[in-house]
């Protein structure tokens, strides 16, 4: 593989907060523009615009999980949390089903790899969280392009 293969997981909450925040800002501006002489309209418009700005800023701060595979390493990034694994240590993978999907990686012997926790807790985890909108077929095609087989067809068997 000469170029890195990259998959950015979609984050639905980010888009909802951004569009809702911008809609509230526009509604607040429209409320003030409708009748700028009345104090109730001005107060309501300012409150709506502030709430919309808070929602929009929070939406911009949400970081999407990114999976990237290059010649030397597999990389998972979600905000400040970065996991780097040498590519030759990965034997197989599996996608955990559920409301929020996760990616589990196994070593060449088929044992699950352990990762430090996302929030600096003491425990470690055996999977990397993706998002609920992540299509398992996209993850499977990404891993196939990277050359990592699914768990049921591990390199050891």
């Amino acid at each position: 593989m000469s170029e890195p293969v990259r998959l950015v997981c979609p984050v639905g909450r980010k888009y909802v907060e951004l569009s809702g925040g911008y809609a509230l800002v526009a509604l607040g501006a429209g409320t003030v523009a409708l009748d700028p002489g009345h104090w109730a309209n001005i107060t309501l418009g300012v409150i709506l615009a502030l709430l919309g700005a808070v929602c929009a800023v929070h939406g911009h701060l949400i970081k999407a999980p990114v999976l990237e595979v290059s010649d030397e390493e597999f990389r998972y990034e979600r905000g400040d949390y970065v996991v780097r694994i040498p590519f030759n240590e990965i034997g197989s993978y599996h996608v955990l089903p559920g409301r929020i999907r996760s990616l589990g990686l196994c070593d060449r012997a088929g044992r699950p790899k352990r990762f430090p926790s996302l929030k600096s807790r003491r425990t470690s985890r055996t999977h990397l969280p993706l998002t609920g909108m992540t299509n398992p077929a996209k993850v499977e095609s990404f891993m196939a392009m990277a050359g990592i087989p699914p768990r049921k067809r591990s390199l050891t068997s």
Side-chain angles (χ1 to χ4, degrees):
M1 167 181 3
S2 60
E3 292 182 21
V5 180
R6 185 179 174 111
L7 172 69
V8 179
C9 299
V11 181
R13 194 178 93 204
K14 176 177 185 138
Y15 302 117
V16 168
E17 286 190 23
L18 286 174
S19 60
Y22 291 138
L24 281 175
V25 168
L27 184 63
T31 303
V32 171
L34 186 66
D35 186 14
H38 199 271
W39 65 270
N41 282 349
I42 294 172
T43 305
L44 180 62
V46 168
I47 289 173
L48 286 174
L50 287 175
L51 288 174
V54 167
C55 279
V57 166
H58 188 261
H60 281 291
L61 294 177
I62 295 173
K63 303 292 184 194
V66 177
L67 303 172
E68 187 172 347
V69 176
S70 65
D71 288 334
E72 307 86 31
E73 69 180 6
F74 173 89
R75 194 170 119 226
Y76 170 86
E77 181 178 340
R78 185 174 184 176
D80 295 334
Y81 181 74
V82 177
V83 173
R84 289 187 167 132
I85 303 169
F87 189 71
N88 58 4
E89 290 182 10
I90 300 173
S92 61
Y93 77 95
H94 59 282
V95 179
L96 300 171
R99 194 177 68 124
I100 297 178
R101 291 180 179 80
S102 297
L103 177 68
L105 297 175
C106 300
D107 61 8
R108 296 232 178 233
R111 295 182 305 264
K113 294 194 76 54
R114 302 209 48 92
F115 310 105
S117 177
L118 281 176
K119 302 290 183 181
S120 298
R121 295 187 182 115
R122 293 182 190 195
T123 61
S124 62
R125 55 181 13 170
T126 58
H127 57 278
L128 300 169
L130 303 174
T131 61
M133 292 182 65
T134 303
N135 187 355
K138 277 191 171 183
V139 176
E140 290 171 3
S141 67
F142 167 77
M143 295 302 246
M145 285 191 327
I148 301 171
R151 188 174 196 172
K152 56 187 162 238
R153 290 180 295 184
S154 180
L155 293 176
T156 58
S157 57

